[in-house]
Amino acid sequence: MDPFALYKISYGLYIISSLKGELLNGQIANTVTQVTAEPAQVTIALNKLNLTHEFVKESGVFTASILSQNAPMSLIGTFGFKSGRDVNKFEVLEYRIGETGAPILLESSVAFLEARVVSELDVGTHTIFVGEVINAQKLNDHEPLTYAYYHQIKGGKSPKNAPTYIKEEESTESSGEKYRCKICGYIYDPAVGDPDNGIAPGTAFSELPDDWKCPICNAAKSEFGQCGKYKCKICGYVYDPKVGDPDAGVTAVTVFNNVPDDWKCPICNATKTEFEKEE
Ligand SMILES: Cc1cc2nc3c(=O)[nH]c(=O)nc-3n(C[C@H](O)[C@H](O)[C@H](O)COP(=O)(O)O)c2cc1C
């Protein structure tokens, strides 16, 4: 099976929100689909580990805010890479409480809907919730954000909890210029830059201001590691981040900088310091 064939499926990006008592939470999802018109029903697929899953399952309600193309990466970072178990995602955002009692994110959204869960389907890692739409409203005429735009233009990534996650997506490119955030997996690509934060395409990682932060998870520059292969100067073994060193517990997609300091060359036992970047 070619997992990249699945990349050809089109999606939008949404904030799914729900509540538990007085607590509010929400998460990014790309899996909102309208499945019937009369009555209007939508499905969402939520990972069972997500706090939002717990809230939707218990409250039986959710809202979906349809994100705008100009939604900042920091918003996607907060809702897509952090859990409401660790942060209060709605603390500083513009939202309102809808008819269901669940929050509706208003900023960076072009429209929203509110739904009551009418059935659910266990699909392993995720639950598909079917919601009957009880309210919906258009907010403006901005372009909705598509999954393709998020990946291709904004340079965004998807975490493991996303149903569309493909491990290879985090693989590194042979170009030595790209850097990966070890917190969220975002790859800084000089060809793309970080236009949301005033970094023009063509800006090398080393030229980024010292106070530049990961546009997704806000991690410091020091949390980034250089993508690419590293070669052992002693025996010629090449460490490839795509492969890692599973025998030594280094999983695939680990950039060389993030390999533990006491890791040794699997061929000749040389230390990490004996490796040099392969051009
Ligand atoms: C682009 C993108 C798409 C995502 N799509 C989904 C999705 O459809 N379903 C899902 O369960 N998680 C999805 N996620 C992951 C959740 O948003 C993420 O795990 C979130 O941190 C869960 O937060 P919570 O624990 O506060 O609910 C996606 C994340 C991103 C960045």
Side-chain angles (χ1 to χ4, degrees), residues 11-14 16 24-32 44-55 76-87 89 125-127 145 147 150-151 156-165 169 216:
Y11 310 91
L13 277 187
Y14 312 88
I16 303 298
L24 309 177
N25 194 49
Q27 67 154 84
I28 297 278
N30 59 281
T31 47
V32 177
I44 54 173
L46 300 188
N47 191 294
K48 291 174 185 172
L49 299 175
N50 292 351
L51 186 64
T52 313
H53 181 280
E54 182 184 320
F55 282 20
I76 295 170
T78 302
F79 280 85
F81 288 89
K82 292 182 182 160
S83 177
R85 293 189 181 92
D86 307 317
V87 290
K89 300 187 191 177
T125 53
H126 290 65
T127 301
L145 177 60
Y147 197 59
Y150 169 69
H151 279 87
K157 298 286 153 197
S158 302
K160 290 198 171 89
N161 284 6
T164 45
Y165 171 78
E169 181 184 22
I216 293 199

Side-chain angles (χ1 to χ4, degrees), residues 23-201:
L23 299 175
L24 309 177
N25 194 49
Q27 67 154 84
I28 297 278
N30 59 281
T31 47
V32 177
T33 307
Q34 182 174 359
V35 287
T36 59
E38 293 196 0
Q41 295 182 112
V42 293
T43 55
I44 54 173
L46 300 188
N47 191 294
K48 291 174 185 172
L49 299 175
N50 292 351
L51 186 64
T52 313
H53 181 280
E54 182 184 320
F55 282 20
V56 172
K57 197 156 175 75
E58 288 188 21
S59 68
V61 295
F62 64 87
T63 67
S65 298
I66 302 167
L67 286 178
S68 160
Q69 206 172 75
N70 58 19
M73 291 296 265
S74 56
L75 182 82
I76 295 170
T78 302
F79 280 85
F81 288 89
K82 292 182 182 160
S83 177
R85 293 189 181 92
D86 307 317
V87 290
N88 178 357
K89 300 187 191 177
F90 281 96
E91 202 168 22
V92 292
L93 294 172
E94 193 197 337
Y95 69 92
R96 77 165 190 241
I97 299 297
E99 288 177 29
T100 57
I104 300 164
L105 179 79
L106 297 174
E107 67 182 67
S108 301
S109 304
V110 299
F112 68 82
L113 59 88
E114 295 189 73
R116 284 192 200 289
V117 175
V118 290
S119 68
E120 54 182 75
L121 177 66
D122 185 331
V123 288
T125 53
H126 290 65
T127 301
I128 295 177
F129 294 99
V130 182
E132 181 169 342
V133 179
I134 59 152
N135 184 26
Q137 192 183 319
K138 182 176 139 181
L139 297 170
N140 53 57
D141 286 319
H142 296 163
E143 251 338 278
L145 177 60
T146 64
Y147 197 59
Y149 190 91
Y150 169 69
H151 279 87
Q152 288 157 19
I153 311 294
K154 287 180 173 276
K157 298 286 153 197
S158 302
K160 290 198 171 89
N161 284 6
T164 45
Y165 171 78
I166 297 178
K167 200 169 183 185
E168 186 66 14
E169 181 184 22
E170 290 195 2
S171 69
T172 53
E173 304 293 328
S174 55
S175 155
E177 304 300 323
K178 295 177 183 176
Y179 279 69
R180 171 199 293 280
C181 173
K182 69 179 177 198
I183 310 292
C184 72
Y186 166 82
I187 292 179
Y188 176 78
D189 181 351
V192 177
D194 178 12
D196 279 358
N197 294 302
I199 307 293

